[in-house]
Amino acid sequence: MRIDMHAHYFPTTYLDKLEASGSTFTPIARGVRAGDAPGEIDNRLALMDAAGIDMQLLSATPQLPTFDNARDAIDSAKLANDLYADLTSRYPGRFAGLATTPLPHGEAAAEELSRAMDDLGLLGASIGTEVARRGLGDKSFEPLWAELNRRKGILYIHASGQDAASPLIADHNLRWVVGAPFEDTIGLLHFVSAGVTERYPDIKVLVAHLGGTLPFLAQRIDDSAAYWQRGTPKPATETWKKMWWDAANFHGPALRTAVDTFGADRIVLGSDFPYFQGDLYLRARTYIEDAGLAAAQVKDIVELNAGALLGL
């Protein structure tokens, strides 16, 4: 079964709710054929069929309700999850969904995760690599980690699109060129350094974009553990081998490095839909097939690993 594990869904009413609550970030999610306007779901399914993709795992990242006002954050998350549940119920076997939670409000996030998984059939949670300028090691997030761990749920970590808090990125239009992969890198290091993976070993962590620069910097990161690592005695690369990584990178040599670093059994197909469509959507699969990996490794990444992660 071919499952695209990195695909976004941005219903219009949810984006409107975010904007009404104070978000100025929604324009990048509008007009990209990733919502629920007439024909958009049919077009998405036709693209999946043309690329030989059976299912998409959907997340609202990076359009997340990280509002200081708890009511705005909670109401927005509930709306997103209700809309996701509606879509997945109307197209069983074609879509699965991850919950949106009202972080930075940790207790409320755990409560909404419970509702989303128990009542709506969603499979875990999606979060950004930072939440309102708080790193993923922030203590206020502990209730969400504990609830995900108890349920053995998926935690999908995706770049927040906040320029890694750097004007050197923001002022030069590099947000999605290098800002996002560096956010993936930094977010994971915060997460591991805070010991979240040690305290909550049953969370199924899935990371976007092949982990950003992590495969390339793996040895440097291990060698420098004394400078940055606090919460776990294990080398970071050992911890990573228990995580999952989507292949939305599209560069064969980078994929081979990731296979050498994480293992072919921990990498899953990912497209970054809707930001790559048409022939570029098909490339999400074909670049894996053409990357020079062994046939068994290709089969793992394209057809087997995602189903194992989702428990199918």
Side-chain angles (χ1 to χ4, degrees), residues 36-211:
D36 52 356
E40 288 190 338
I41 299 301
D42 288 341
N43 290 340
R44 183 192 293 245
L45 288 168
L47 183 62
M48 292 165 59
D49 290 341
I53 302 299
D54 299 298
M55 177 188 286
Q56 284 183 341
L57 178 68
L58 304 174
S59 75
T61 53
Q63 299 294 329
L64 300 177
T66 57
F67 302 120
D68 290 333
N69 183 291
R71 190 73 263 157
D72 285 340
I74 292 167
D75 289 349
S76 298
K78 286 181 179 293
L79 175 60
N81 295 333
D82 289 344
L83 291 168
Y84 269 49
D86 174 70
L87 180 66
T88 58
S89 67
R90 286 189 289 117
Y91 297 93
R94 300 309 309 268
F95 300 112
L98 294 169
T100 297
T101 70
L103 285 182
H105 310 285
E107 294 288 351
E111 183 176 339
E112 178 57 19
L113 176 73
S114 296
R115 185 185 80 93
M117 295 186 73
D118 288 343
D119 299 344
L120 304 181
L122 303 183
L123 303 180
S126 62
I127 63 168
T129 45
E130 55 86 35
V131 179
R133 291 296 190 261
R134 306 183 195 185
L136 297 186
D138 193 284
K139 291 294 186 182
S140 65
F141 305 163
E142 291 288 312
L144 178 60
W145 307 151
E147 190 64 18
L148 276 167
N149 191 70
R150 184 177 73 81
R151 295 170 173 278
K152 299 182 179 180
I154 296 170
L155 176 66
Y156 183 46
I157 300 175
H158 182 286
S160 295
Q162 298 301 310
D163 306 304
S166 171
L168 297 177
I169 294 174
D171 295 348
H172 298 274
N173 202 32
L174 294 174
R175 170 172 290 175
W176 301 113
V177 181
V178 297
F182 276 106
E183 287 182 337
D184 295 325
T185 302
I186 295 166
L188 253 292
L189 295 182
H190 288 171
F191 192 74
V192 171
S193 177
V196 181
T197 52
E198 291 293 298
R199 293 193 301 279
Y200 304 109
D202 290 330
I203 298 176
K204 298 175 181 176
V205 179
L206 171 62
V207 187
H209 312 119
L210 281 180

Side-chain angles (χ1 to χ4, degrees), residues 217-229:
L217 297 175
Q219 190 60 58
R220 184 182 183 88
I221 289 168
D222 273 356
D223 289 346
S224 304
Y227 294 100
W228 69 273
Q229 227 169 310

